[in-house]
Amino acid sequence: MNIIEIASLSQPGIEVFSTLTEAQLRHKTESGKGIFIAESPKVINVALDAGYQPTALLCERRHIEGDARELIARCGDIPIYTGDRQLLQQLTGYTLTRGVLCAMQRPQERSVGDICRNARRIVVIDGVCDTTNIGAIFRSAAALGIDAVLLTRQSCDPLNRRAVRVSMGSVFLVPWAWLDAPVDSLNGLGFQTAAMALSDDSIALDNPLLKRIDRLALIMGTEGDGLPHSTLTKANYVVRIPMSHHVDSLNVAAAAAVAFWELRA
């Protein structure tokens, strides 16, 4: 094992875990690809199973022969930076989940056509920038049969550290891509689109006609601003979740889970 004891907070090699922002990690190109951070042995193992390549580990000293032992064996001869809990918390600015972080290479971006080719149910995340919501949507997507996730560029990066952690590694299980074209471009790929919104012309989520659609793209926006008017006018359907007790909306992650279950293929 290539174990490196951290002697100071400015030690070369540990900047990926401390001083680099999410944006800087994403565009780090020394190895030809960007970097993202996965947290906890369980999540890191999901990433490894999905073929992601580790570049360095940050691990509490006590976990090297404990919870992280099998994980470390899987990662090969990469640097394993270590120290006690207090030092690592000072380094990263937060307490490590299960005492382990892993820097991993970002995969090459995939195309919309590639990930949607054989899909029947997909979700479009439009302008959702909360990392917790992104992670929760991916977890529901993986659990409830969504075949692919598309995101507009205004949305949060699914490989953000917190989004990865909240998803419990589900961001590695569901194919995803950035959507740079208007949502009605999905009609050309054989999808009908259903925008989730409260509007006068919306239909209920349990309307039988929605379940009969062979290839369906659900479009989810933010809880506050909702979807842009241009998106609603271009969608084939505008769909609402029936509510009780005068509740007007659900958090986007909760709404996504309800919609995924109701409209599963």
Side-chain angles (χ1 to χ4, degrees):
M1 289 187 290
N2 184 15
I3 298 175
I4 302 170
E5 190 77 23
I6 298 174
S8 74
L9 297 181
S10 59
Q11 183 167 324
I14 62 173
E15 62 276 357
V16 294
F17 300 109
S18 57
T19 59
L20 296 183
T21 65
E22 289 283 352
Q24 289 170 328
L25 287 172
R26 186 172 174 179
H27 296 99
K28 185 176 174 63
T29 57
E30 291 175 5
S31 61
K33 294 183 178 180
I35 298 292
F36 70 92
I37 303 297
E39 184 176 359
S40 88
K42 181 176 181 178
V43 171
I44 297 166
N45 273 310
V46 174
L48 293 174
D49 289 343
Y52 286 76
Q53 297 298 312
T55 62
L57 279 169
L58 181 69
C59 183
E60 282 184 40
R61 190 183 297 107
R62 65 191 179 98
H63 288 308
I64 290 177
E65 294 296 334
D67 289 349
R69 183 174 182 176
E70 292 183 4
L71 169 65
I72 289 171
R74 293 190 67 186
C75 287
D77 192 32
I78 63 172
I80 303 167
Y81 298 98
T82 190
D84 59 31
R85 187 181 188 86
Q86 291 72 27
L87 176 64
L88 299 193
Q89 183 173 358
Q90 186 180 359
L91 173 71
T92 61
Y94 53 88
T95 301
L96 276 61
T97 303
R98 301 292 297 276
V100 186
L101 294 179
C102 184
M104 310 191 88
Q105 290 185 0
R106 293 185 68 93
Q108 185 175 358
E109 289 188 5
R110 299 181 66 178
S111 70
V112 172
D114 177 33
I115 70 167
C116 293
R117 184 170 294 112
N118 298 313
R120 293 186 60 198
R121 293 291 183 268
I122 66 174
V123 62
V124 178
I125 302 175
D126 189 344
V128 177
C129 54
D130 183 275
T131 54
T132 300
N133 284 334
I134 292 293
I137 292 171
F138 266 88
R139 190 171 183 181
S140 294
L144 300 175
I146 295 298
D147 300 311
V149 179
L150 305 179
L151 305 99
T152 63
R153 294 285 179 175
Q154 295 77 32
S155 298
C156 169
D157 175 20
L159 296 182
N160 174 283
R161 179 188 65 84
R162 183 169 177 79
V164 170
R165 181 166 67 85
V166 171
S167 81
M168 292 300 294
S170 295
V171 295
F172 309 127
L173 303 178
V174 184
W176 62 272
W178 298 107
L179 179 65
D180 294 316
V183 293
D184 57 349
S185 66
L186 297 174
N187 296 143
L189 296 178
F191 290 92
Q192 294 191 59
T193 55
M196 301 295 297
L198 297 171
S199 66
D200 294 337
D201 61 345
S202 62
I203 62 175
L205 180 65
D206 57 358
N207 191 306
L209 72 85
L210 293 172
K211 295 183 180 181
R212 291 196 293 266
I213 297 173
D214 183 52
R215 306 187 77 196
L216 182 66
L218 286 166
I219 309 170
M220 313 293 303
T222 62
E223 181 182 3
D225 296 333
L227 292 167
H229 178 71
S230 59
T231 298
L232 297 178
T233 57
K234 292 176 181 178
N236 298 113
Y237 303 95
V238 179
V239 180
R240 70 181 184 280
I241 298 174
M243 303 280 183
S244 301
H245 298 292
H246 305 291
V247 176
D248 60 358
S249 65
L250 293 174
N251 166 275
V252 64
V258 172
F260 297 166
W261 170 253
E262 180 66 26
L263 298 178
R264 64 195 184 281

